[in-house]
Amino acid sequence: MSHFSDLQGSEDSGPVYVREKGRLSVAGSHCPRVKTPPVRLFSKGFSVELCVRQGDACKPKEKPFVFTYTEQGSLRYSAKSLFTLALDLIADNIQHVDSLLGFPEQVAERLFTAAESRQQFCHPHSGLAALRKFTEAYGDLMLSSLCLRSKYLLVSEKMEEIKSFQGLHVLDLSCCKLGDEHELIAHLSSEAMDRSGDCGSPLPCISLRELYLKDNCLSDIGVRKMTAPVRVLHRGLGKLSLLDVSCNPGITEKGLSFLLGFKELRFLDISDTGVQDSVFTCKKIQTRTGLVQSKKPLPQFDESSCRTEGWAEQLFRQWDDLVMSAIKPKKTLPSRTAAQHFYGKDKGTPEAETPMLYETPAAPTKHLQFYRPEGAPNPPPAVPQPGHYPGKRLKEDKHVSDRGSSQPAKKPRVALTADDWDLLNSY
């Protein structure tokens, strides 16, 4: 007891616990124990809801296993490989990748397919930057041939994306109505597409080989701009082996003289252009380039001769579907009967329509396709000597020959039809 009293009187000592009959209590405490409920941090009805801002919305994570079926038809769970999980992670964040140079091609193709399935290249801000990482590293593996025939809406919407593919061998822009001043026409002869020399890129130097520009509203001005780097600087489309400029009425004999700078051409189509003297033009092309006129249509200029090939083949189909889905269907115009009723015209009495006068269309140029025979060598490139101007010399020689001739050549008279006389009298 004396020991207990000493402990009780000491100020430094703390409480003393005593265990009696299996219960622990403080020695010297005679107050009854009161059972207190456990302290709760939150009430029973408290709940937590995660609020995410619209800008921070993210895709739900995919489960790390795959559902498959056995031969007996039972469901089987198989875990994804670590390679697949890492590939999916990079595909979801492809916009943060710095470069893919030196990355294995087999892995890069699977990475591109995974990013494409997630529509990473359709984003308006990060899609183009992500696509350029692949085109800069893999060149013609991305696209070696691109067919955009009659897809002028896709050309207009995805102009920068199309220009990023710089490893093309074949490009088909037929029936796109581009015109002489279009940005894509100027891009074809730019330094970005000129990879025939020392391009300074880790990719093999590749130049465009086949170009289809049928029905694009081109004229002599557009042809002169497109061929200027070849004629003046000896670069650009100098490696072109096939060219189709048919169905461009604005291209005349003057424009065709610019096309003679392509010394490696093996196939040329100038059908339905503004060429007037086809016989003289055929002789000139054969003399200057060695191309021979074909008597029958060449299979190289068929619509099925060009198709999109490469990793991005499915990507262009995806873009085309998005562009076509964005076009809203036009409202149907009211019928002719409703229009006549609106303007108070009688439906029963036929309206006296004034005949419209049209200019007589020029006769279409006959079939003009050229090819190089097997074994025929390419003509040597004409390198003009300093101070020598072949075009000016030809004009002077022609002028002298015209003056020296005793009898000047008579121009054939053009016979006017009755419709032509009526048109002239109407003025």
Side-chain angles (χ1 to χ4, degrees), residues 133-291:
K133 294 181 177 64
F134 286 92
T135 56
E136 292 174 358
Y138 302 103
D140 60 334
L141 293 177
M142 290 291 298
L143 270 185
S144 60
S145 176
L146 178 58
C147 181
L148 297 173
R149 182 182 294 266
S150 303
K151 296 182 180 180
Y152 49 90
L153 293 177
L154 180 60
V155 172
S156 178
E157 291 292 331
K158 299 295 181 180
M159 173 64 62
E160 295 299 327
E161 286 80 356
I162 294 173
K163 290 168 60 176
S164 65
F165 293 94
Q166 301 176 6
L168 292 173
H169 297 275
V170 183
L171 179 59
D172 189 354
L173 296 172
S174 301
C175 308
C176 287
K177 312 294 183 181
L178 300 181
D180 297 333
E181 303 297 333
H182 199 272
E183 182 181 356
L184 193 55
I185 297 296
H187 174 72
L188 295 177
S189 57
S190 63
E191 295 183 0
M193 295 295 292
D194 181 22
R195 307 178 67 88
S196 57
D198 186 10
C199 52
S201 174
L203 300 174
C205 296
I206 301 169
S207 181
L208 193 64
R209 303 292 182 179
E210 300 180 8
L211 180 60
Y212 299 85
L213 295 175
K214 177 181 178 180
D215 192 13
N216 269 287
C217 305
L218 297 178
S219 65
D220 297 340
I221 299 176
V223 174
R224 179 174 58 85
K225 292 180 180 179
M226 186 177 62
T227 59
V230 180
R231 295 181 289 105
V232 179
L233 303 176
H234 300 286
R235 67 183 186 188
L237 299 175
K239 300 295 182 180
L240 209 60
S241 62
L242 185 146
L243 180 61
D244 183 4
V245 291
S246 59
C247 301
N248 289 288
I251 300 178
T252 62
E253 285 85 348
K254 181 180 179 181
L256 292 178
S257 62
F258 298 136
L259 298 178
L260 301 180
F262 297 128
K263 300 301 180 181
E264 296 191 11
L265 272 182
R266 304 191 65 86
F267 300 97
L268 177 64
D269 190 359
I270 58 172
S271 304
D272 297 331
T273 55
V275 176
Q276 300 296 331
D277 192 352
S278 59
V279 177
F280 175 75
T281 302
C282 293
K283 291 182 179 179
K284 183 178 180 180
I285 292 177
Q286 183 174 359
T287 304
R288 297 281 298 274
T289 63
L291 299 177

Side-chain angles (χ1 to χ4, degrees), residues 337-414:
T337 305
Q340 290 178 350
H341 179 72
F342 177 79
Y343 288 105
K345 296 182 180 179
D346 189 6
K347 182 180 67 174
T349 59
E351 182 182 359
E353 298 181 356
T354 57
M356 299 181 64
L357 298 178
Y358 295 95
E359 295 183 359
T360 304
T365 309
K366 64 179 182 178
H367 175 76
L368 291 176
Q369 291 182 353
F370 301 86
Y371 71 99
R372 187 181 303 280
E374 294 294 336
N378 296 336
V383 181
Q385 300 178 358
H388 181 67
Y389 304 95
K392 183 177 180 181
R393 183 66 178 176
L394 290 175
K395 291 182 180 180
E396 293 177 355
D397 295 345
K398 184 178 179 181
H399 181 67
V400 171
S401 61
D402 292 342
R403 281 191 307 177
S405 59
S406 57
Q407 294 181 358
K410 296 182 180 179
K411 296 182 179 180
R413 296 182 180 179
V414 180

